[in-house]
Amino acid sequence: MSPLTPYRRLFALPGALAFTLGNLVARLPMGMFSVSAVIMIAGARGSYALAGAVTATGLATTAVVAPWTARLVDRYGQARVAVPATAFALLGGTGLVACVRFGAPDWALFAAYAATATTPNTGGMSRARWAHLLRGDAAALHTANSFEQAVDELCFMLGPVLAAFLCGAVAPEAGMLVGCALLMTGVLLFAAQRSTQPPPRRAAVSGSPGLAPGMPPLLLSFLATGAVFGAMEVATIAFADERGHPSAAGVVLALQAAGSCGAGLVFGAMRRGAPLRTDVLAARRYAVCVGAMAVLLTLPLLAVRLTGSLVVLAGALLVAGMATAPTMVTGMTLVQRRTPEGRLNEGMTLAVTGLLGGIAGGSAAGGWMAEHLSPAAGFAVPVAAAATALAIAVPGARTRLAVRPARTPLSDPSNRVHNSGSTH
């Protein structure tokens, strides 16, 4: 069987290609906004500290607002909530451009960028559609989750490059404005595909997904995994700057994302040996993937310690990145399994919020290490963060949940997969 066969079957589903293309357009700006805001604010105000503080405020606000937006999406439907939420977020994005352009006071920058926190989790909405369409087909859902993770990596690889090009070659405001236009266009295209969206759940049937059995430690492991990403980015930028090639940092980090993207597509095409019918088996697979990530993340640390070469670091990051996608795919699969029925968007948004919080913390820790010790020392932070994620994941792989989660696409008794060749 061709490695592309699982993906051909995936997009043969009616409406699948249409909503995926719309979501791809909507998701690309996710990698553009922070870079665009930093370049625009730092260029106009001459302060990277102010630019970093503004983007950090937006990140913190998103962590608070995003789960509420996702809850509304679950309750009232994707199309009904995502479009106005996006429109409000774009008021914040364009407002930030206006504030910078016309010299508004600093507090206005914070207020404008905080308004972008209503941006819906487009990746989570896409995964929720796959879970709805592939209900009961664990192997196909594994392929879909792997594809979505590869798309995430692709967008965060291309987004910053596109933003930097627009801000540098066109105008400092161009990255933010083009990102806003792409986001609104993509969300409108995505929302127009009504036939594939999950039905809304008007009344909450359970408590917060964050308190569901098995979810708290899983969210903590996502927090630690986010720290891996944040620290690695800052450490790489600092190391490239120390070596006199600051512009090469983007290319080096793109190789890490490329390794993850390729591994995600390969992982999605693999047919696993047995369907994961129990939470314990899924948790064990997640622990194995986190362990592999922790081991491979020692390669960049060794590369900078032993060789001090930016080229060797690039190769090490390419290999280390190959563990990222399988870890995120298996982690998101566990989120889907453990999230109560009717709360899937909210559950996945909580996972993304954990990642964002970890990225912020990891960036701070990596930056402190790079500044006060050495750029090479900053690469110890991702290793420590991955080891922490593993320490959290291993006990969960040994513990059978006392309370079974509400029915999800993977645990609905009426939709169990009996094909021994199925996966996930």
Side-chain angles (χ1 to χ4, degrees):
M1 182 180 68
S2 169
L4 297 178
T5 299
Y7 294 101
R8 292 195 185 103
R9 292 174 178 171
L10 207 61
F11 293 106
L13 294 171
L17 183 59
F19 86 72
T20 298
L21 291 176
N23 193 270
L24 180 60
V25 174
R27 217 185 303 187
L28 180 60
M30 296 300 102
M32 297 176 62
F33 287 137
S34 292
V35 173
S36 299
V38 168
I39 294 175
M40 180 174 62
I41 295 171
R45 303 295 174 91
S47 173
Y48 278 100
L50 175 62
V54 170
T55 55
T57 298
L59 185 66
T61 309
T62 299
V64 175
V65 175
W68 290 95
T69 304
R71 182 175 299 179
L72 292 175
V73 168
D74 283 328
R75 186 168 297 183
Y76 297 105
Q78 294 183 352
R80 189 174 178 182
V81 174
V83 174
T86 301
F88 186 85
L90 295 193
L91 290 177
T94 55
L96 178 66
V97 172
C99 288
V100 173
R101 185 74 172 177
F102 297 107
D106 290 351
W107 65 262
L109 306 184
F110 288 92
Y113 203 61
T116 64
T118 62
T119 303
N121 179 9
T122 50
M125 291 192 299
S126 186
R127 287 177 172 91
R129 291 203 181 204
W130 287 121
H132 171 63
L133 294 174
L134 303 173
R135 193 176 183 89
D137 190 343
L141 188 57
H142 163 71
T143 301
N145 283 335
S146 299
F147 172 79
E148 290 296 326
Q149 186 60 37
V151 170
D152 280 343
E153 300 294 343
L154 181 65
C155 290
F156 280 99
M157 180 171 57
L158 297 180
V161 176
L162 177 59
F165 170 77
L166 290 170
C167 291
V170 181
E173 302 86 0
M176 181 65 69
L177 293 176
V178 171
C180 288
L182 288 174
L183 177 61
M184 192 75 251
T185 301
V187 168
L188 287 172
L189 292 173
F190 179 78
Q193 310 305 316
R194 301 292 185 100
S195 63
T196 54
Q197 72 173 353
R201 303 282 181 175
R202 293 304 178 97
V205 295
S206 60
S208 170
L211 300 178
M215 281 291 279
L218 183 57
L219 295 177
L220 285 176
S221 71
F222 271 71
L223 184 69
T225 302
V228 170
F229 304 148
M232 187 65 75
E233 180 176 351
V234 172
T236 301
I237 293 172
F239 185 76
D241 189 36
E242 183 191 51
R243 289 295 180 269
H245 302 285
S247 61
V251 177
V252 175
L253 289 170
L255 285 175
Q256 181 188 13
S260 181
C261 181
L265 292 174
V266 173
F267 190 65
M270 294 171 60
R271 296 188 64 84
R272 317 299 297 171
L276 299 185
R277 296 188 182 181
T278 70
D279 190 273
V280 173
L281 291 177
R284 286 175 181 170
R285 181 169 292 172
Y286 176 61
V288 169
C289 290
V290 174
M293 180 178 69
V295 171
L296 290 181
L297 281 172
T298 62
L299 297 179
L301 178 61
L302 292 174
V304 297
R305 286 290 191 183
L306 299 180
T307 70
S309 168
L310 197 58
V311 175
V312 175
L313 173 62
L317 285 175
L318 177 66
V319 176
M322 293 179 183
T324 301
T327 300
M328 295 306 304
V329 169
T330 52
M332 281 296 184
T333 299
L334 270 178
V335 170
Q336 291 176 6
R337 295 182 69 96
R338 294 176 177 179
T339 298
E341 186 177 17
R343 309 292 289 275
L344 191 55
N345 280 292
E346 186 179 351
M348 287 190 289
T349 299
L350 286 172
V352 172
T353 299
L355 285 172
L356 292 176
I359 289 172
S363 296
W368 190 93
M369 292 283 284
E371 182 173 343
H372 291 85
L373 297 178
S374 70
F379 287 93
V381 178
V383 177
T388 301
L390 180 61
I392 297 170
V394 169
R398 297 175 177 174
T399 305
R400 185 177 299 275
L401 296 182
V403 181
R404 191 175 169 183
R407 291 187 300 171
T408 69
L410 298 181
S411 61
D412 186 347
S414 63
N415 290 288
R416 293 193 182 223
V417 180
H418 297 284
N419 182 353
S420 61
S422 298
T423 76
H424 260 30

